[in-house]
Amino acid sequence: MKWLDEAVASGDANTPAHPSRIAVLNAVSADRSSPEAIRLLRLARSTDPSVRREAFDLLLSLVHDGPWPQAADAALLRLSDPDEAVRRLAARLLVRAGHPDLALAALGHLTEPVVRTVLAENLGDAVAHLRDDPLAAVRFLARLATLRTAPPACRPDLDAALFADAREAALHLADAGERWGRVLSGLGRERHTYQVVAGLLADPGTRDVGAGLARAACHAWRAAPVELLPLLVRHCGQASGQGIGRAMAEALTTASISERAMSEHGDLMAAIEFAPRPRSREPRCGATPSYDAVSAAELLSAKPVGTARLSCAPEIFGALLDAGPLTFRQAAQLYNLTFRWPGRMQAVCAPLWLRHAGPTALPRLLGLMTPYLHDYAVGEFYLDGLARMGGQALPALPAVTAMIERRTRIPVNDSTADGEMRLDEKLLKAALQTRRAILADGLP
């Protein structure tokens, strides 16, 4: 099967959307006893370490449909591979393709720390009973698994044990701080997290773990950057002539996403001359066309009554409403834009419909708008719509205030945790602006 050998050797089989990758994924997914599957398992025993790496990487893409004993056997044979990358991939594959008991048995008799750590990472809560394991990284993961469900009375002992093992565990567990932080945020232990970060940052041997934990805290709680940025700056290393390490740089970058933290502690960041990694720029918008009543009416006359989208709707309908009442046809168009579908267009047009229909329309509009304030895709537009309504949107103020006062981040979806934090910060900023607009317009 020459094409498969060449695709694996060249890396094409692990290139997204490459025809050879699609072909082998389809063939093996349809039949794990197919010639392609058999050949791929043989390539996992190649004498070339680069081929073994590519083969195991591809096998990992094929085990999402459930256990695959043959792949698990291939992984078991390579847990002692001379190539570390192959050992790591094989350990991950053993857990995903085999029964957990098989991986736990391997974890019990192996001594190599890298493989044992990878096995424990991928076994998750199944390693909770290994709290006295000889390897610190495994003990650390076991105690984290235990902490997730431990009663409050048992937490102090687990906290102390995790702190004691942090330095040694980090030798084989690069994301020890982030993992610890995710467990603590899941338990809602915000103040405890800040205390642990302070203790870890104070010791050079655990500083990177502390930076990782601080990053996780910033991702979970809005107050964390304000609380932790001074600590991060104090222990970043520059004061003693050392450079800022990668873990600390990432933590400083994450904390700097918070506008409130930068407002309160920006002078500290300036003092260490640290420049966070560039953020993605907001898309540039072209100049917004201006309309008068005549040009707006002409544009709408060329649009169907049932139009679902309309660029520059505020400018178009704003010009018409400034000049006088909408015609029946124009009102029907605005109605369709406002009420047909939830989303950006509805958010933009809701204040316009309120201008047209008057206060009696307010309860219906707010009932449509407030459920979407937390939506990371369109929430900013709905908040801006409320801001445009001004004091008339006063009944929506409790929903806006609740967004502002929550301590945890609004759940959003982005490719990175920093990206998700930025989305929450954007929604928070929009909510603050909306509250100011509603209250300012509502004052006598």
Side-chain angles (χ1 to χ4, degrees), residues 130-308:
L130 299 176
R131 294 185 297 278
D132 296 319
D133 192 272
L135 183 64
V138 175
R139 290 198 305 273
F140 191 88
L141 290 167
R143 285 165 179 158
L144 283 182
T146 304
L147 183 61
R148 285 190 185 92
T149 57
C154 297
R155 289 175 181 174
D157 288 342
L158 288 166
D159 294 337
L162 286 163
F163 197 94
D165 272 338
R167 180 199 298 257
E168 191 179 348
L171 296 175
H172 300 109
L173 196 62
D175 60 347
E178 289 87 341
R179 287 176 178 270
W180 198 352
R182 287 194 292 271
V183 173
L184 291 176
S185 65
L187 294 170
R189 301 179 67 190
E190 183 178 1
R191 299 308 310 178
H192 173 73
T193 300
Y194 300 158
Q195 294 167 8
V196 176
V197 169
L200 293 170
L201 290 177
D203 182 351
T206 56
R207 193 157 290 159
D208 284 355
V209 180
L213 181 52
R215 236 184 132 208
C218 292
H219 292 150
W221 292 292
R222 285 176 172 173
V226 181
E227 293 270 352
L228 299 178
L229 190 53
L231 281 173
L232 291 168
V233 171
R234 185 187 311 163
H235 296 294
C236 70
Q238 275 199 350
S240 58
Q242 303 172 3
I244 298 178
R246 178 180 175 182
M248 184 63 74
E250 289 179 343
L252 288 168
T253 297
T254 296
S256 71
I257 295 171
S258 166
E259 288 198 10
R260 184 181 160 206
M262 291 303 290
S263 174
E264 295 190 21
H265 305 304
D267 55 335
L268 298 177
M269 291 286 281
I272 61 171
E273 300 178 353
F274 175 77
R277 290 193 303 271
R279 304 173 187 175
S280 58
R281 294 182 179 179
E282 296 293 327
R284 291 185 178 180
C285 300
T288 303
S290 60
Y291 294 90
D292 57 23
V294 174
S295 60
E298 288 177 352
L299 186 146
L300 286 179
S301 67
K303 298 285 185 181
V305 172
T307 184

Side-chain angles (χ1 to χ4, degrees), residues 291-307 309-313 315-321 326-327 329-334 337:
Y291 294 90
D292 57 23
V294 174
S295 60
E298 288 177 352
L299 186 146
L300 286 179
S301 67
K303 298 285 185 181
V305 172
T307 184
R309 301 184 65 83
L310 182 65
S311 179
C312 302
E315 291 73 25
I316 294 166
F317 284 102
L320 292 169
L321 288 164
L326 301 179
T327 67
R329 187 176 190 278
Q330 291 165 352
Q333 288 173 310
L334 180 56
L337 290 167

Side-chain angles (χ1 to χ4, degrees), residues 87-118:
R87 296 198 302 274
R88 289 180 175 274
L89 289 165
R92 291 172 58 198
L93 181 62
L94 178 62
V95 176
R96 297 186 189 185
H99 193 277
D101 289 347
L102 184 63
L104 281 169
L107 183 60
H109 74 259
L110 290 170
T111 58
E112 203 274 313
V114 170
V115 173
R116 297 193 77 244
T117 301
V118 176

